[in-house]
Amino acid sequence: MSVDTAQPCTRDAVAELISVARERESAMFTEAEGKSLLSTFGIDTPRGIEIAVGQMISDDIREPLVVKAISSTLVHKSDAGGVRVGVRRDEIDDVAARMGERLAAAGHRLDGLLVEEMVPSGHEVIVGAVRAPGLGWTVMVGLGGVLVEIFEDVAFGLAPLANEQILDMLHELRGMKVLDGARGGEKADIPALVTLISRLAGPNGLLQSLPDDVIEIDLNPVIVSGTRAVAVDARFVVGPVEDTGSAPGDSDDGRATDFTPLFHPRRIAVLGASGQRPNLANRFIRNILSGGFDGTIVPIHPTADSIEGLPTARSLAEVDQPIDYAFVALPATRVSEALSRGAGRVRFAQVISSGFGEVEEGKDLEATLVQTVRDAGIRLIGPNCLGTHASAGRLSFVPEAPLTPGTTAVVSQSGGLSVDILRVGSLRGIDFHSVVSIGNGADVTAAELVESALRNDEVRVIGLYLESLAAAREVLDVLTRAEMRKPVVLLAGGRTSEGSRAATSHTGALAGNHRLWPAIARQAGMTLVDSLDDFATALHALSTLDLTVKPNGRDAVLFGNGGGASVLGADALERQGLATPPLAASVVDELDGLGLPPGNGLRNPIDVPAGTLAVKNGAIAKDVLAVVLAGSESAVLISHLNVGIIQRNLGETHGDVTGTVIDSIADARDEATSNTHQLLVLKTDGSAETEALITTYAHRARSRGIPVFPAFEDAALAARAVLEQGLRTYQASRDADGRQ
């Protein structure tokens, strides 16, 4: 019996297709079946028919034809000689005979033929999707058709995809210029391609309608000409249904949790401290006492009368007042029973203990713990983590913690890295609102904390360290539906090619973690960074600058002493996608008219020797920058000062030149009507004296709202983060205003 691929396949028939596919060795729909399903959702496919060998085809299928083999064991038809193009109607029987011989030699049986009208030539594009636990459908678009795994010019996104997100994926392709008709080539019908991908992966697309049994799809190639985007091949793979389990972080009543008691606790219980041999829990008590916590601390111990000079309670059941936060460092097997005694009393419990879901033998223990706290009305942070730092609440898990209240909230899946985030971030000038180490995230998740931070007026900037793509997907969903937007910086662990698999589809084979992390970051509007230093750099810039400033474009101006340094700075900016174009001739003329000493470069970068900076004891910087800000539309202005050289050459004769320049930068910014962000690089010569000066000057600049960096590479990355996040925050605020 023939199957006309132009006839839509009803959704009721999908279950039958899956059942039949499971009986095939290939575990796939036939191509005709897949194309019938595509046509149901309006995806363009060639007109064709599935026939038995020797069967005639109707005259309304026009030559030239494409003849494809149908075989229950055949996966890659082209590789086995199962595709012939440019065939006439009277050649079909001969083509089928030779095709059957080739397939038989390769161990396959020819079960039938798919005969289609040949689609006019165009650009070969692949569109595919793979279902992954915790992620849902990951969608790929790439160039190269059957050669996609050689070129690897691909971009990923997570369904459902809006049209703007599809366009973002396309523009990520190196070969997008080819699709745009580079060097006189045919310009692809990009709107048609976007429509095809949207009908597959959009909010109401095919992917959302498919049962979990369908796990991989390849439309390869999709031929995109100047007028069409046609899926000329379709592969639907059936596989086992993954059990994703219940989503963590779902409260029983569905209401959002108020995290205020976590960040501003008044009564803290500590479980696991020793009355004889100090341990982690004892150190926690000492940390919060030395940090100035002025609330009530209640150590919980079955026998000791006091711990760290504080009276104890035998169990949580003996505490008659509500407990905002419980720090739990007991052996894993004792945690659930201990917390069950706190039913109705404890708001948040952070379980430091390991031995839960991070190891196979602890998974049941973690499930019991989650059920226990839910029954007790307790929100659980962890287990397998280090603690929570909340500056305003004088709460921290690190000794000598930086407790100046700030506006940067960080969520980390790593306990150890959360310590580094606090230390490195503090040195970079970040004042933290909070740093929460969530470990396994068995109850309170990263996504839930991000959602809370978006609502919290105390938080301006959000930082995330995540190791789980599934956790990142949850954050993506939160940011997608959020009405309010704040800058988000993501540091991801495990950004390797792991995750790619020997899959039936090209998409599955290419879907490595190294591609999925950038895809999630792009789609969620997060700035993705590569290292802890970059993480601190981006957070420092975003928390220091005024993000209500709306710069235009991605141009930068460099100003400072050291011509070679400026060249390196321009290179660093280019690597981050910023340009340093020459200033307008009128601006250069005006700068030249300031009467500067000889030896300056004024076109951009603006290179000035130390002698020029000495003019007006450094205040000449205000004159220079005022001209630049008035006469250019630069998005970023980066000043760079070699502090050691300035101090050695000018310190004795011209006073505090560096300090005056810093004030001049801020004054020029404040007096200008400009949408330019100001950043500062303070370079050292490595001497202890210069390092001490830089520390003082950095504090001076930050107090004026100017972020400070040790190198151009840091300033360039910070500039990228600020431009990315500032634009997204501004657009989100405009969208929110429009909804009101």
Side-chain angles (χ1 to χ4, degrees):
M1 180 179 179
S2 66
V3 177
D4 188 342
T5 60
Q7 296 300 314
C9 177
T10 65
R11 297 184 184 184
D12 293 339
V14 174
E16 178 62 24
L17 293 178
I18 292 171
S19 176
V20 174
R22 288 194 182 281
E23 300 301 318
R24 299 179 181 130
E25 187 174 336
S26 64
M28 297 194 312
F29 295 179
T30 67
E31 186 177 337
E33 291 167 347
K35 287 178 174 175
S36 294
L37 191 52
L38 294 177
S39 67
T40 301
F41 284 79
I43 295 173
D44 196 359
T45 61
R47 180 168 177 76
I49 190 168
E50 188 178 278
I51 62 173
V53 175
Q55 181 180 340
M56 299 291 293
I57 64 170
S58 60
D59 292 338
D60 60 346
I61 298 180
R62 294 169 298 181
E63 298 177 346
L65 304 171
V66 178
V67 179
K68 301 180 180 181
I70 299 173
S71 171
S72 61
T73 60
L74 188 60
V75 175
H76 299 290
K77 294 187 291 292
S78 297
D79 295 345
V83 178
R84 281 286 304 276
V85 299
V87 178
R88 298 193 309 271
R89 185 173 283 97
D90 59 5
E91 295 176 320
I92 292 177
D93 289 344
D94 184 53
V95 167
R98 284 179 287 174
M99 192 176 286
E101 293 173 358
R102 284 194 294 270
L103 293 185
H108 302 288
R109 185 183 70 252
L110 182 63
D111 299 323
L113 300 171
L114 175 61
V115 181
E116 295 179 327
E117 294 178 353
M118 192 169 170
V119 175
S121 63
H123 301 282
E124 288 198 359
V125 174
I126 179 173
V127 178
V130 174
R131 196 191 297 270
L135 292 179
W137 283 106
T138 61
V139 181
M140 184 185 82
V141 60
L143 295 185
V146 295
L147 300 178
V148 64
E149 289 180 57
I150 296 175
F151 298 139
E152 294 195 3
D153 187 11
V154 295
F156 279 83
L158 274 66
L161 290 164
N163 284 359
E164 311 87 66
Q165 294 167 334
I166 295 170
L167 280 170
D168 286 342
M169 291 170 64
L170 291 172
H171 285 292
E172 193 174 288
L173 300 175
R174 297 187 302 274
M176 184 61 187
K177 292 180 180 178
V178 175
L179 296 180
D180 277 336
R183 301 182 69 87
E186 181 181 22
K187 182 175 174 59
D189 188 344
I190 298 300
L193 178 57
V194 171
T195 297
L196 181 148
I197 298 172
S198 180
R199 289 174 177 172
L200 175 75
N204 298 302
L206 170 59
L207 297 182
Q208 288 202 325
S209 75
L210 290 173
D212 294 345
D213 309 71
V214 181
I215 61 171
E216 297 179 25
I217 298 172
D218 267 356
L219 309 184
N220 185 34
V222 173
I223 301 298
V224 189
S225 65
T227 57
R228 292 176 71 186
V230 188
V232 300
D233 197 357
R235 181 178 300 159
F236 286 72
V237 182
V238 172
V241 177
E242 297 280 356
D243 180 13
T244 58
S246 59
D250 293 339
S251 57
D252 292 339
D253 58 11
R255 292 179 298 178
T257 296
D258 178 9
F259 284 90
T260 301
L262 175 65
F263 300 126
H264 299 272
R266 302 309 305 145
R267 183 172 285 101
I268 295 175
V270 182
L271 290 74
S274 171
Q276 299 176 340
R277 189 174 299 172
N279 56 26
L280 178 66
N282 293 76
R283 290 194 293 274
F284 172 71
I285 294 174
R286 295 173 187 176
N287 289 341
I288 57 177
L289 287 173
S290 64
F293 177 73
D294 60 357
T296 302
I297 304 172
V298 184
I300 306 296
H301 197 281
T303 59
D305 294 327
S306 69
I307 290 177
E308 301 294 333
L310 300 169
T312 65
R314 295 292 182 261
S315 77
L316 289 171
E318 289 189 6
V319 183
D320 56 3
Q321 296 294 320
I323 295 167
D324 294 317
Y325 177 73
F327 182 92
V328 184
L330 294 168
T333 54
R334 292 171 48 195
V335 171
S336 291
E337 192 276 334
L339 286 178
S340 69
R341 304 290 186 89
R345 295 179 178 83
V346 178
R347 291 187 171 98
F348 293 93
Q350 186 145 23
V351 176
I352 311 305
S353 323
S354 58
F356 289 93
E358 75 278 5
V359 293
E360 188 62 35
E361 57 270 24
K363 293 186 183 301
D364 290 342
L365 206 59
E366 183 168 301
T368 299
L369 172 61
V370 171
Q371 190 59 54
T372 297
V373 296
R374 289 186 177 178
D375 292 344
I378 301 170
R379 294 309 311 273
L380 167 70
I381 305 169
N384 184 36
C385 56
L386 277 189
T388 290
H389 171 99
S391 298
R394 317 303 292 179
L395 169 71
S396 191
F397 55 93
V398 299
E400 301 177 0
L403 290 169
T404 301
T407 58
T408 298
V410 174
V411 182
S412 172
Q413 285 192 295
S414 165
L417 194 69
S418 61
V419 176
D420 297 334
I421 289 169
L422 277 167
R423 297 298 190 204
V424 173
S426 178
L427 290 173
R428 287 294 182 93
I430 300 172
D431 293 327
F432 289 97
H433 168 272
S434 55
V435 176
V436 183
S437 160
I438 64 170
N440 296 357
D443 180 35
V444 173
T445 64
E448 191 175 2
L449 287 166
V450 168
E451 195 163 24
S452 171
L454 291 173
R455 298 191 303 266
N456 190 339
D457 291 339
E458 296 176 350
V459 176
R460 286 183 53 213
V461 181
I462 301 168
L464 292 171
Y465 172 74
L466 300 178
E467 296 173 346
S468 160
L469 283 164
R473 171 68 203 230
E474 293 174 1
V475 170
L476 165 62
D477 291 340
V478 164
L479 294 175
T480 298
R481 66 174 179 261
E483 294 187 359
M484 178 178 290
R485 186 59 200 247
K486 297 178 180 179
V488 184
V489 180
L490 171 65
L491 176 61
R495 286 178 61 188
T496 68
S497 58
E498 183 181 354
S500 302
R501 50 184 172 147
T504 304
S505 67
H506 294 288
T507 307
L510 290 166
N513 293 357
H514 62 308
R515 292 192 176 94
L516 296 181
W517 280 113
I520 291 175
R522 180 195 64 242
Q523 195 167 329
M526 299 183 284
T527 290
L528 181 65
V529 296
D530 297 325
S531 68
L532 175 59
D533 283 342
D534 290 351
F535 188 62
T537 291
L539 292 177
H540 166 51
L542 290 164
S543 63
T544 304
L545 288 168
D546 179 4
L547 295 183
T548 63
V549 172
K550 310 300 184 302
N552 298 311
R554 299 182 70 83
D555 289 348
V557 173
L558 288 168
F559 163 75
N561 62 316
S566 294
V567 172
L568 294 176
D571 290 344
L573 285 164
E574 184 177 359
R575 287 192 290 271
Q576 297 293 342
L578 283 82
T580 51
L583 293 168
S586 58
V587 175
V588 175
D589 290 343
E590 192 171 352
L591 290 173
D592 198 36
L594 292 175
L596 303 176
N600 303 286
L602 301 178
R603 290 177 56 79
N604 189 25
I606 302 172
D607 298 322
V608 292
T612 296
L613 290 177
V615 176
K616 298 184 180 181
N617 295 331
I620 188 63
K622 180 179 177 181
D623 300 335
V624 171
L625 297 183
V627 170
V628 172
L629 293 174
S632 73
E633 293 289 332
S634 60
V636 175
L637 196 158
I638 301 177
S639 299
H640 58 99
L641 303 174
N642 192 315
V643 176
I645 289 177
I646 294 173
Q647 183 64 22
R648 285 194 301 272
N649 293 344
L650 305 176
E652 294 184 3
T653 56
H654 292 79
D656 186 11
V657 172
T658 300
T660 302
V661 171
I662 290 172
D663 290 338
S664 296
I665 293 169
D667 291 343
R669 175 203 61 196
D670 295 343
E671 295 176 16
T673 56
S674 169
N675 291 322
T676 300
H677 285 300
Q678 299 266 11
L679 291 80
L680 178 62
V681 175
L682 295 178
K683 292 175 289 184
T684 181
D685 57 10
S687 70
E689 179 184 6
T690 302
E691 293 285 357
L693 286 171
I694 286 176
T695 299
T696 300
Y697 288 134
H699 178 75
R700 184 170 180 167
R702 289 164 184 155
S703 70
R704 298 290 304 267
I706 302 172
V708 180
F709 308 97
F712 279 119
E713 289 76 12
D714 302 300
L717 181 136
R720 171 174 70 86
V722 167
L723 295 184
E724 287 178 351
Q725 292 302 313
L727 178 63
R728 288 162 181 159
T729 303
Y730 174 59
Q731 186 60 51
S733 66
R734 287 188 61 185
D735 292 345
D737 290 342
R739 288 190 291 266
Q740 294 175 356

